[in-house]
Amino acid sequence: MRRFTMGLAAALLVACQSGAQSQVAQLQADEIRATGTVEKVEVGVNCWRLAAEDGVSYELRTDQAPADLLENGRKVTVVLKPRTDLMSACQVGKLVDVVRVE
């Protein structure tokens, strides 16, 4: 019985450690993690923004963001990379690339 208990404890320890490592991926130095609501903004052309919970707006470009992310009202957490080399006709927030949806 003791041998079974020790084996079970070891298996649980390994499972907990591997799960903890995969929960939140590390960010690169130039990345931002943001949680908020995706919104479709009717500005000339259809524009998309992430209204983050911290009050910052990020512009999501349709040519770069995953299509399934662009759903009006969707609550998401995403990892973003700021773009300073682009301009936008929408001007609904900081321009970013979507690195991944979490």
Side-chain angles (χ1 to χ4, degrees):
M1 179 71 158
R2 181 180 175 147
R3 188 180 212 176
F4 174 75
T5 305
M6 295 284 287
L8 181 60
L12 286 173
L13 180 61
V14 169
C16 289
Q17 287 176 343
S18 63
Q21 293 172 350
S22 65
Q23 284 181 352
V24 178
Q26 294 290 336
L27 295 178
Q28 298 296 318
D30 59 347
E31 294 177 340
I32 302 164
R33 180 175 283 112
T35 299
T37 305
V38 176
E39 299 174 340
K40 185 175 185 180
V41 182
E42 303 294 332
V43 178
V45 296
N46 292 326
C47 301
W48 292 90
R49 96 172 136 212
L50 174 69
E53 292 175 349
D54 64 1
V56 179
S57 290
Y58 299 99
E59 183 173 327
L60 306 173
R61 299 182 339 273
T62 57
D63 65 332
Q64 190 277 324
D68 61 340
L69 174 66
L70 303 177
E71 179 183 323
N72 197 37
R74 180 174 177 190
K75 307 280 187 198
V76 296
T77 298
V78 290
V79 174
L80 306 169
K81 183 175 181 175
R83 295 292 303 260
T84 57
D85 59 330
L86 299 175
M87 294 182 69
S88 168
C90 295
Q91 298 184 0
V92 296
K94 294 180 180 185
L95 282 170
V96 293
D97 282 345
V98 178
V99 175
R100 68 180 171 272
V101 179
E102 294 187 333

